[in-house]
Amino acid sequence: MKVLLLGSGGREHAMARALERAGHDIVWAPGNGAQGAWRRRPIDLKNLDLVVQLAVDEQPELTLIGPEDPLAAGLVDRLQQVGLKTWGPNAHQAQLESSKAWAKEFMARHGLPTAPFQVTTDLEQAKAAIATLQEVVVKADGLAAGKGVVVASNPEQALEAAAQLGPKLVIEKRLCGPEASLILLLRPDGYQAFPLVRDHKRLLTGDRGPNTGGMGAYYPIQETPALQDLLDRLWIALQQEGLNYFGALFLGLILTSDGPQLLEFNCRLGDPESEVLLESLQGDLVQVLYGQPLQLAPGCHIDVVLASAGYPASSSPGQIITGHENLNQVTLIHAGSERLPDGTLVTAGGRVLHLVASGSNLQQAQQLAHAAANQIRFDGRSPLWRSDIGGSLS
Ligand code: GLY
């Protein structure tokens, strides 16, 4: 099948690889420094007119949209208007991700398990909400590329976050428990779920430092039987509101002593979760999206992210990447990388590469990923990476 894939991150490279394994004819726009059996089309995804023109020119049988911004901006609506089949929600449905307040109100309307919250639109309201809810998480209402959430340690910090992230906020009660990511592949007539994955959002080993887009992920983690009840109720709620679109729905969960609670939705595949899941996907991704049962390779799987100096505040573009050839039993997934005209691979973003490895246990997978991480250099220096993805090796 001819497929147009939109995006430039690790998630999209993992999608491109899965499509490539199934022999699809792939046009990837804009892509990144990864090389494979696809045609790259340089394009700015912010310019929807150009994206629609590209799709009209290419006439793909299916367009897969990786990142959230074009979804929130209505790309699916635009492509559907010109008669093209898309995988992803329209702008109305994408509010599940593009407005935290809209998403929480949807959860509340349907009695889905989530933390008590208030939506506030100015600092006075935020102050009152913080005083009522006490220990809180402050969330910017709109898309913020992973930088819109502050888990406050005290009311002063919460108020500071409110001033920074406002004016429109969701202020919710802080819950305790391990977090987990669950990705659903939705179709209008049903869905299937990947296994739970654990993402690591903080920059540094030991869960220290600022939040990032995700420094690594692994699975399996312990499944929780109570999840099925949540999914049954969610599926009914999605159908009732016409949100059972053809695309991915990511559930950010916290596994509390009262059962799993919803933290957030994303309307796309998670990143770095999809790197680790799609690398172990068996079968044809397109068929799976259309409902063929999911099959994943057995074993334990991890993804260790290599980031450039200064991340997440800044990135250090143009650094020469070395040591990435001949990695032993590790798959290199490209994110913020690019090729110079002579083929040299350089950094082009904060999160640059993902190292995906598998083993019969997590330790084996970690050892492979760590050996590769120790081999790779950006301008001769070690990249930033966490050595505790999947737990600390003793
Ligand atoms: N890992 C969470 C996300 O994709 O935003």
Side-chain angles (χ1 to χ4, degrees):
M1 178 186 289
K2 182 164 180 183
V3 179
L4 174 61
L5 171 63
L6 299 175
S8 61
R11 165 185 46 217
E12 288 79 22
H13 185 204
M15 292 167 80
R17 284 175 51 85
L19 295 167
E20 183 186 33
R21 287 196 297 274
H24 293 291
D25 174 12
I26 308 160
V27 178
W28 184 12
N32 58 30
Q35 291 173 317
W38 45 75
R39 275 185 297 127
R40 268 187 78 183
R41 296 289 304 266
I43 196 166
D44 177 3
L45 291 187
K46 289 196 193 77
N47 188 333
L48 294 199
D49 291 341
L50 286 181
V51 179
V52 173
Q53 191 55 54
L54 171 70
V56 167
D57 292 346
E58 290 288 348
Q59 287 295 313
E61 286 164 80
L62 183 63
T63 299
L64 302 175
I65 303 161
E68 60 274 28
D69 295 293
L71 295 169
L75 180 59
V76 165
D77 310 66
R78 297 276 308 268
L79 292 174
Q80 286 175 349
Q81 277 159 19
V82 293
L84 291 171
K85 177 88 183 157
T86 52
W87 185 73
N90 63 31
H92 171 73
Q93 296 159 334
Q95 287 177 97
L96 284 169
E97 175 166 8
S98 64
S99 170
K100 298 277 174 278
W102 199 88
K104 285 289 283 196
E105 280 156 2
F106 166 78
M107 294 175 205
R109 265 197 306 284
H110 294 277
L112 298 170
T114 192
F117 70 101
Q118 292 186 21
V119 177
T120 65
T121 51
D122 64 39
L123 216 50
E124 277 313 303
Q125 288 178 7
K127 206 169 170 176
I130 292 163
T132 308
L133 295 165
Q134 300 278 318
E135 292 183 319
V136 299
V137 179
V138 180
K139 296 181 174 177
D141 179 56
L143 295 178
K147 293 176 189 150
V149 177
V150 172
V151 181
S153 316
N154 53 53
E156 293 72 37
Q157 216 181 57
L159 205 56
E160 201 177 304
Q164 219 166 50
L165 300 176
K168 189 164 180 187
L169 299 166
V170 168
I171 298 185
E172 69 178 17
K173 182 102 187 145
R174 184 174 170 174
L175 300 176
C176 290
E179 290 188 26
S181 307
L182 181 66
I183 296 173
L184 306 179
L185 300 176
L186 302 183
R187 306 181 313 278
D189 61 344
Y191 73 90
Q192 45 186 342
F194 279 104
L196 288 178
V197 178
R198 178 146 302 129
D199 177 14
H200 295 255
K201 291 227 166 55
R202 306 288 286 268
L203 180 69
L204 303 171
T205 299
D207 252 342
R208 294 171 301 113
N211 264 355
T212 69
M215 291 299 291
Y218 70 99
Y219 86 94
I221 62 173
Q222 183 145 22
E223 293 287 332
T224 149
L227 205 51
Q228 193 53 51
D229 177 54
L230 187 160
L231 291 182
D232 292 344
R233 290 161 60 194
L234 172 61
W235 178 242
I236 291 169
L238 292 171
Q239 288 179 97
Q240 282 176 353
E241 297 210 17
L243 301 173
N244 47 335
Y245 56 83
F246 182 47
L249 181 65
F250 170 105
L251 314 187
L253 297 167
I254 185 157
L255 310 177
T256 73
S257 50
D258 291 334
Q261 306 271 326
L262 284 164
L263 291 176
E264 64 170 359
F265 294 120
N266 294 327
C267 287
R268 52 178 170 82
L269 292 174
D271 192 349
E273 291 87 347
S274 39
E275 286 85 336
V276 80
L277 289 168
L278 293 181
E279 274 307 307
S280 53
L281 179 75
Q282 296 180 328
D284 178 344
L285 174 61
V286 171
Q287 296 303 324
V288 169
L289 301 182
Y290 279 103
Q292 188 182 82
L294 260 176
Q295 274 195 325
L296 300 175
C300 296
H301 311 271
I302 74 167
D303 170 11
V304 174
V305 170
L306 306 186
S308 58
Y311 180 72
S314 61
S315 61
S316 311
Q319 296 191 21
I320 294 175
I321 302 172
T322 51
H324 56 284
E325 307 90 358
N326 309 319
L327 299 178
N328 180 29
Q329 297 177 65
V330 167
T331 302
L332 186 69
I333 304 282
H334 291 248
S337 78
E338 201 37 277
R339 299 259 169 200
L340 298 180
D342 68 358
T344 304
L345 190 66
V346 295
T347 63
R351 288 187 297 170
V352 180
L353 300 170
H354 297 248
L355 302 169
V356 177
S358 301
S360 54
N361 56 52
L362 272 173
Q363 211 167 19
Q364 260 182 15
Q366 281 176 316
Q367 279 163 351
L368 290 167
H370 292 186
N374 280 319
Q375 190 179 318
I376 293 176
R377 292 284 177 276
F378 298 168
D379 266 358
R381 285 186 297 275
S382 178
L384 279 172
W385 59 279
R386 279 183 63 159
S387 61
D388 60 349
I389 308 298
S392 294
L393 279 182
S394 44

